[in-house]
Amino acid sequence: MKKVHNFNAGPCVLPKQAIDAAIEALKDFEGTGMPVISVSHRTKEWEAVMDECRALWKELLNIPDTHEVIFLGGGASMGFLYVVENLLNKKAGYLETGVWAKKALKEAKGLAPQFGAEAFAVASSADTTYNYIPKGYEIPTDLDYFHITTNNTIYGTEIRYDMDCPVPLVADMSSDIMSRPVDVSKYAVIYGGAQKNVGPAGVMFAIVRKDILGKVDHYIPTMLNYQTHIDGGSMFNTPPVFPIFVMKETLKWLKGIGGVEAINKLNVEKAEMLYNEIDRNPLFVGTAAKEDRSIMNVCFVMAPGYETLQDEFLAFAKANGMVGVKGHRSVGGFRASIYNACPKESVQALIDCMQEFEKLHK
Ligand SMILES: *Cc1c(COP(=O)(O)O)cnc(C)c1O
């Protein structure tokens, strides 16, 4: 198989151990003589997968009993709707830090009139193409919830701490979940798509504080009601069995290498290596405000004077086995997504590539 260094933003690199386990399970799931995608989800073999997956989430993130974790179809974009349907009664505030945050806010704004409610941006960094996290804003104390996007996948900024919030805090953690320890007790809801750090596309996770539910005046469609899925153990309807299986294996891998404390250390190391090179190399410049730099998505462009070399660098990187370093179409330049499963050697290979390119053009 061709050796590549995968920096895709999502779907993205997953641990080999999880892929191998998935291949095995597609051949013969737990000695059933059937692939994991052909067994009934109402069997003890499948229920054991669900139980183990849930248990891994609880153990790795130290989820308190006040919260429940559920697995749902639809992806993080569906998650935007769940938040609004379950929590918006009168007023919601959003921190607009990127495209995903804006899309989440759009759903809230769109649905709010039906509920006699309103939703708005408390602060935004749209003025400078979302290259920083707004600070010094005040969160109104009469909100049903305040919504943040902890890692802005497209712009490479991140809120890497658990903020104090006077109202229920809701976080889209699609692209930095399980990258660091999180104080779950500070959040009313944490949700996201699996395909950045915890598995393949096709499943999303939601960690929900149970006492936050049941407080809105409007009807919540059954499938969009967190309670339905808490009560049903994420099996109210047929769950996305294969993505959940691979997610379970991905978390097993994470536990095996020391959990979120260990991966956080490694993630910080990888990010520092790459940012140091960007800051050192005269050909490149980072796009995110330094204090808000993401450890998951590293965004950079050609430095002033070298702009015309962009396509050449992309071709050079590709020829050297780098995959997915092209920036999102809305920002251009480059983006290296260095999620949990991206090995340090891939980061080093990209750095080597940048240094080689520098030698060619100095
Ligand atoms: C990728 C991403 C999404 C969208 O996820 P889907 O599962 O494709 O709907 C939402 N929010 C963030 C922060 C993301 O990185």
Side-chain angles (χ1 to χ4, degrees):
M1 205 163 77
K2 194 161 111 184
K3 171 84 184 154
V4 297
H5 297 287
N6 186 348
F7 299 99
N8 279 328
C12 59
V13 62
L14 287 173
K16 183 175 181 305
Q17 189 180 315
I19 303 294
D20 289 345
I23 293 168
E24 280 313 306
L26 277 177
K27 291 182 188 159
D28 181 8
F29 171 58
E30 294 292 328
T32 55
M34 289 175 279
V36 61
I37 52 173
S38 301
V39 299
S40 164
H41 57 292
R42 308 284 176 201
T43 53
K44 68 174 184 350
E45 287 86 357
W46 176 257
E47 292 205 357
V49 172
M50 288 300 271
D51 290 345
E52 188 180 355
C53 192
R54 232 182 331 259
L56 281 163
W57 270 91
K58 290 183 180 180
E59 183 184 345
L60 285 164
L61 281 185
N62 205 5
I63 300 176
D65 289 342
T66 44
H67 290 61
E68 189 52 86
V69 59
I70 49 179
F71 314 120
L72 311 161
S77 302
M78 189 69 94
F80 303 157
L81 286 180
Y82 273 91
V83 170
V84 182
E85 289 283 356
N86 286 273
L87 304 183
L88 180 55
N89 206 37
K90 288 282 172 256
K91 225 176 185 186
Y94 282 66
L95 190 61
E96 196 196 321
T97 50
V99 163
W100 295 117
K102 195 175 167 187
K103 286 184 172 170
L105 173 59
K106 175 172 180 269
E107 297 310 309
K109 276 185 172 167
L111 283 166
Q114 295 178 30
F115 306 156
E118 59 172 322
F120 52 89
V122 170
S124 169
S125 49
D127 54 340
T128 56
T129 338
Y130 302 115
N131 70 343
Y132 71 103
I133 303 285
K135 296 170 191 77
Y137 54 86
E138 206 156 307
I139 302 169
T141 53
D142 60 347
L143 299 179
D144 297 321
Y145 63 91
F146 180 57
H147 182 284
I148 60 173
T149 309
T150 50
N151 186 63
N152 298 284
T153 321
I154 294 173
Y155 304 95
T157 61
E158 187 176 12
I159 302 170
R160 265 180 60 68
Y161 63 95
D162 305 307
M163 66 167 69
D164 294 316
C165 186
V167 298
L169 181 62
V170 175
D172 172 358
M173 289 198 189
S174 290
S175 53
D176 63 351
I177 189 75
M178 295 279 180
S179 71
R180 65 171 177 95
V182 166
D183 181 355
V184 174
S185 71
K186 284 193 157 180
Y187 299 85
V189 175
I190 296 171
Y191 71 98
Q195 71 273 21
K196 316 285 171 40
N197 243 354
V198 290
V203 62
M204 76 159 176
F205 57 87
I207 302 166
V208 181
R209 201 177 81 210
K210 290 173 276 188
D211 70 3
I212 197 85
L213 302 178
K215 295 194 175 145
V216 297
D217 298 324
H218 60 264
Y219 172 77
I220 306 172
T222 306
M223 266 304 281
L224 290 180
N225 195 329
Y226 286 135
Q227 196 66 56
T228 302
H229 303 288
I230 291 174
D231 294 344
S234 302
M235 297 223 280
F236 169 75
N237 65 329
T238 319
V241 288
F242 193 59
I244 289 175
F245 181 86
V246 185
M247 179 161 75
K248 187 255 297 178
E249 291 298 327
T250 305
L251 295 182
K252 248 167 86 175
W253 163 82
L254 180 56
K255 183 181 167 179
I257 62 165
V260 289
E261 301 271 358
I263 204 75
N264 182 45
K265 234 176 117 224
L266 186 63
N267 286 334
V268 169
E269 245 176 80
K270 289 185 312 192
E272 274 179 0
M273 282 164 63
L274 190 48
Y275 283 122
N276 284 344
E277 175 59 19
I278 290 166
D279 293 342
R280 184 209 62 79
N281 194 317
L283 268 62
F284 301 99
V285 57
T287 53
K290 280 192 179 169
E291 71 275 17
D292 298 322
R293 281 174 162 177
S294 165
I295 58 159
M296 297 274 95
N297 308 96
V298 177
C299 295
F300 55 108
V301 293
M302 298 307 309
Y306 294 100
E307 290 94 339
T308 53
L309 292 176
Q310 174 168 316
D311 289 346
E312 195 182 326
F313 178 68
L314 279 174
F316 184 76
K318 192 175 169 204
N320 282 284
M322 311 298 133
V323 173
V325 290
K326 194 172 170 134
H328 189 271
R329 59 189 183 280
S330 63
V331 277
F334 318 107
R335 170 177 56 175
S337 298
I338 51 174
Y339 298 122
N340 284 359
C342 173
K344 209 163 144 182
E345 65 181 62
S346 286
V347 177
Q348 188 57 52
L350 178 57
I351 292 170
D352 292 346
C353 194
M354 292 163 77
Q355 293 179 350
E356 285 299 309
F357 195 70
E358 179 193 3
K359 280 184 207 146
L360 291 174
H361 291 282
K362 252 201 336 204

